Amino acid sequence: MVEQILKLRDKIALSDVAQLRFTAQNLVFLASAIGLMAGGLWTWAPVAIFMILATLVDELGGEDRTNNPHPPAALQNAMLMLNAPLLFVNATLFAYYFTPGDPLYLAAALKPLGIDLDAARAATTRFDLVLAILAQGFNWALGLIAAHELLHRTDSPFDVELSRWLSGLGGDPWMALHHPAIHHRYLGLPSDPGTPRRGVSIYRFYVSVYIGNIAAGARFERERLSRGGSPFWTLNNRFLTGWLIFAALAGYFFLIAGLKAVAVYFIGAALGRFFLATTDYVQHYGLLRVEGEPLDARLSWDVYHIGTNAVLYCVGRHSDHHIYPRRACGDLQTRSDALSHRHGYLTMIALSLAPPLFHKVMQPRLDEWDRTFATDADLAYMRENGIPCASRA
């Protein structure tokens, strides 16, 4: 079976796969929305099936290190613009599972099309709903990846604002603020909450990166406004308007199904942000630099597996993204001056959920990084601060 899959992989031109890769997220969202209209196990099964297939493509399909061709810019833009409406359709259908009524007249509008939301809700068990919350949390995390691509388009206010609403659904309406201002500036330094230290578990990292990014974003915005002579309490404050986005989204869920839906929104958003934190975690785990050193490619773990980069807008080519943050996702390059993971993101994320296993898997890679990419100053810093590190031969 594995041999047949590998042969099939060799027959398919990677350029053909590349032309279709940016459709993957929206296909997941579309399948998820159809599942929510069907009810029962289909409220979560499409996302689960997708996760299994993406992992198999990663582990059996291997890597794609080709830099060209990439999809036309128009296709990339179209897929990114489709993310928001498809995700909000998912969110609306999902919220309907927590009310017996039809507050938006959606059930009535769908009935002439042969779609019975009342029957779908009746066929859905509490167990299905628990798994559906996990599935939507994963969807919203995928939306955060799209938001990440959009927030770097600083020449388009519309794209940046759309990014804020997408990231708000995933629990982080401040990402367009703290991500470029903090993470991209201080990557690898202790002042970057998004750089996980060696030995830290994903669970501890999740709490620290979420709180740390919000606090750092608030400080940055306060200083920015102060330099311009503006007060903190103003609608020009992106930190405060982030809270307004959060409140507006919570209000939308409340309109559909009351406080129960708001609670589910907060749980789904927390899950979405957790899934994103796992991505941050495997992208930068254990890598560092000292003050005064340049921000370079060695501070990221790349992933060149086919499934990962198809679903996540090539975010696996992460070292190149940090060198050229405004480079479009389809134009990101492979690099020889950074190490890469030997598995795709979903496999690495699964490993990270068991911290002892993840640390065991990563230790030989960290030793390799210490011997190959760490500077003398990096090694001295680690020894002075009690951080385990390998010695050069």
Side-chain angles (χ1 to χ4, degrees), residues 15-351:
S15 59
D16 294 336
V17 175
Q19 294 299 319
L20 300 174
R21 59 186 171 184
F22 292 125
T23 65
Q25 269 199 24
N26 290 324
L27 290 175
V28 177
F29 299 154
L30 181 60
S32 180
I34 293 171
L36 287 167
M37 287 185 279
L41 65 85
W42 295 110
T43 57
W44 55 269
V47 176
I49 293 169
F50 156 75
M51 293 173 72
I52 293 169
L53 289 176
T55 302
L56 287 175
V57 169
D58 267 346
E59 302 309 318
L60 299 179
E63 296 183 333
D64 173 13
R65 290 180 176 262
T66 59
N67 289 322
N68 284 300
H70 56 76
L75 176 60
Q76 295 178 37
N77 290 332
M79 292 301 102
L80 283 166
M81 292 302 111
L82 270 176
N83 271 146
L86 284 174
L87 270 179
F88 280 96
V89 166
N90 269 271
T92 302
L93 290 167
F94 179 55
Y96 254 70
Y97 278 83
F98 300 92
T99 176
D102 188 14
L104 302 182
Y105 303 100
L106 181 61
L110 291 175
K111 209 148 200 173
L113 303 176
I115 299 168
D116 192 338
L117 282 186
D118 293 325
R121 288 183 286 197
T124 304
T125 66
R126 289 184 179 180
F127 177 73
D128 288 326
L129 284 179
V130 169
L131 294 181
I133 292 172
L134 290 171
Q136 288 306 306
F138 184 79
N139 278 349
W140 297 351
L142 293 182
L144 284 165
I145 299 296
H148 169 260
E149 174 68 16
L150 291 169
L151 70 84
H152 284 290
R153 298 181 173 188
T154 52
D155 55 344
S156 171
F158 174 82
D159 287 359
V160 174
E161 190 62 27
L162 181 60
S163 164
R164 300 179 73 205
W165 286 89
L166 269 176
S167 58
L169 191 59
D172 193 357
W174 309 279
M175 188 165 74
L177 171 60
H178 63 70
H179 181 78
I182 308 300
H183 182 57
H184 272 268
R185 185 177 300 181
Y186 301 112
L187 176 65
L189 298 174
S191 51
D192 174 33
T195 301
R197 309 303 161 200
R198 299 186 184 194
V200 171
S201 72
I202 178 56
Y203 307 104
R204 182 178 171 188
F205 174 69
Y206 170 58
V207 174
S208 65
V209 72
Y210 195 46
I211 296 174
N213 277 337
I214 292 174
R219 286 195 302 271
F220 177 85
E221 196 67 347
R222 182 185 295 276
E223 293 167 2
R224 182 186 72 86
L225 291 168
S226 179
R227 287 194 300 270
S230 298
F232 183 79
W233 298 98
T234 171
L235 288 178
N236 290 326
N237 185 328
R238 294 170 295 176
F239 177 72
L240 294 181
T241 53
W243 284 107
L244 293 179
I245 289 172
F246 224 154
L249 290 169
Y252 181 65
F253 277 82
F254 181 82
L255 175 67
I256 296 174
L259 290 176
K260 187 184 293 186
V262 174
V264 169
Y265 162 55
F266 287 150
I267 294 170
L271 287 169
R273 191 59 186 84
F274 177 77
F275 284 131
L276 183 69
T278 60
T279 305
D280 295 334
Y281 185 73
V282 302
Q283 285 170 341
H284 301 294
Y285 176 76
L287 308 182
L288 55 81
R289 61 184 171 122
V290 299
E291 291 282 357
E293 289 184 334
L295 195 162
D296 45 28
R298 68 192 179 95
L299 298 172
S300 301
W301 298 100
D302 280 346
V303 171
Y304 296 129
H305 290 70
I306 296 172
T308 286
N309 287 299
V311 175
L312 302 181
Y313 289 107
C314 287
V315 77
R317 300 184 173 204
H318 206 61
S319 60
D320 197 56
H321 167 67
H322 272 280
I323 302 303
Y324 303 103
R326 295 189 63 186
R327 180 173 280 177
C329 50
D331 296 327
L332 293 173
Q333 308 291 297
T334 59
R335 301 186 68 93
S336 60
D337 50 350
L339 292 179
S340 60
H341 286 306
R342 291 167 180 155
H343 301 283
Y345 269 151
L346 286 177
T347 300
M348 295 305 300
I349 286 170
L351 289 173

